[in-house]
Amino acid sequence: MNKISAVKAFAGEQIQYEHQSDTLNCTMKFSVFLPPQAQQHRVPAVYWLSGLTCTDDNFSTKAGAQRVAAELGIALIIPDTSPRGEDVPDDPDGAYDFGKGAGFYVNATQAPWSRHYQMYDYIVTELRELVERELPLSGERSISGHSMGGHGALVMALRNPGLYRSVSAFAPICHPTESPWGRKAFSGYLGDDKAARTDYDATLLIKERQAAPPLLVDQGTADNFLAEQLGTDALKQACIAAGIDAQVRMQEGYDHSYYFIASFIGEHLRFHAKHLSYFGKK
């Protein structure tokens, strides 16, 4: 881990690192907020997965999460959304919803994407093991995300029972096999493998597994992607049918932007804190 920058914030530290990823076969950047409690003892973490076109900078600079994270004694782990670098293939037409910035948190199986686009394994295994080895983290973790990152957070939590204490999402792509964004990404990264596509669809995973960790979803009613892309109601109905006590909240008048995230990020962090028994208090 190479430290690129560090600034003091709320008596803690906001840091950006880079490292060579063996999983993605490229150099990756990620950001971390360490609360002031981390100067005294190990702390739990919330992993944040960002949406289409974003990097780790978007959440770090726009969400305003550090104040509450410092209060609760929770670290924030903020990876990039996709592999980066000159050798990493990108959408040949320069589309924003495929290629760099649009990794969809899957393990690609199709050429030329499979060499680099292994974001699922990168988040679940490589990055987690790296930061928990090198930083003052307790090993207790929750996961959250926005849009494409909300999809990633839900899928990772559902597919790895016990790995994350809780999961939350803002405007997630809940049913990507029925979303134009999801169908495009899955077709390119996964080909015609229907089973693989099911493994990256939160709604289908809930129907199949009939279980989930503590789950909170916030969705704005003024989100211009809601009707065509996000599938929030499908997720809600799957949770009801499975008897899962998930909180799926429709927030009147909010859109898809970071203003929406900043409005409710404190509630999400406090939701996770309830399930992180360490709480930064030991």
Side-chain angles (χ1 to χ4, degrees):
M1 287 168 51
N2 250 347
K3 184 183 288 187
I4 298 172
S5 64
V7 295
K8 188 171 183 177
F10 302 103
E13 194 171 25
Q14 182 69 43
I15 315 166
Q16 188 178 56
Y17 293 99
E18 67 177 5
H19 75 114
Q20 181 62 32
S21 168
D22 294 333
T23 302
L24 303 180
N25 293 295
C26 64
T27 299
M28 291 293 287
K29 294 179 181 178
F30 65 94
S31 292
V32 173
F33 174 70
L34 291 177
Q37 295 87 338
Q39 299 165 24
Q40 306 298 325
H41 48 65
R42 294 180 178 273
V43 296
V46 171
Y47 288 70
W48 173 269
L49 306 186
S50 295
L52 286 166
T53 75
C54 291
T55 68
D56 54 310
D57 284 331
N58 293 76
F59 183 78
S60 299
T61 60
K62 294 181 179 180
Q66 292 90 343
R67 181 188 296 274
V68 176
E71 171 194 327
L72 297 171
I74 291 174
L76 304 174
I77 311 299
I78 312 160
D80 202 348
T81 53
S82 296
R84 305 279 179 176
E86 293 182 6
D87 296 333
V88 175
D90 198 4
D91 186 275
D93 299 320
Y96 76 95
D97 56 354
F98 193 79
K100 295 179 186 178
F104 269 82
Y105 302 99
V106 304
N107 287 338
T109 59
Q110 305 300 300
W113 316 105
S114 56
R115 173 168 166 73
H116 297 284
Y117 285 75
Q118 303 290 315
M119 288 298 294
Y120 179 89
D121 279 353
Y122 175 69
I123 303 296
V124 170
T125 303
E126 185 182 25
L127 182 64
R128 173 178 60 84
E129 292 179 351
L130 176 67
V131 297
E132 291 183 2
R133 182 175 66 246
E134 300 293 336
L135 297 174
L137 303 180
S138 69
E140 289 192 82
R141 67 196 75 82
S142 293
I143 192 165
S144 186
H146 171 229
S147 194
M148 178 185 73
H151 139 75
L154 291 171
V155 166
M156 290 174 191
L158 291 167
R159 285 178 57 177
N160 296 278
L163 188 64
Y164 304 100
R165 296 293 182 93
S166 52
V167 58
S168 74
F170 291 84
I173 306 172
C174 300
H175 199 6
T177 57
E178 297 300 323
S179 159
W181 278 340
R183 286 197 295 264
K184 177 180 178 179
F186 289 1
S187 177
Y189 296 137
L190 306 174
D192 296 326
D193 188 341
K194 291 184 179 179
R197 295 184 184 201
T198 298
D199 281 344
Y200 294 108
D201 186 307
T203 297
L204 298 181
L205 286 170
I206 286 174
K207 289 180 178 180
E208 174 189 302
R209 303 188 179 209
Q210 300 285 296
L215 190 159
L216 168 65
V217 169
D218 273 326
Q219 173 61 59
T221 62
D223 189 326
N224 59 321
F225 300 116
L226 175 58
E228 184 179 23
Q229 299 283 9
L230 302 182
T232 310
D233 190 60
L235 179 76
K236 182 176 182 178
Q237 294 308 314
C239 289
I240 292 171
I244 294 170
D245 186 23
Q247 298 181 63
V248 182
R249 312 188 303 190
M250 300 303 295
Q251 301 291 1
E252 186 66 32
Y254 286 92
D255 64 7
H256 201 75
S257 73
Y258 263 83
Y259 294 109
F260 172 43
I261 296 169
S263 298
F264 295 98
I265 190 63
E267 293 184 25
H268 281 238
L269 291 177
R270 290 187 173 91
F271 164 78
H272 291 301
K274 292 177 183 177
H275 302 286
L276 291 164
S277 60
Y278 183 83
F279 241 125
K281 291 183 178 179
K282 293 182 182 176

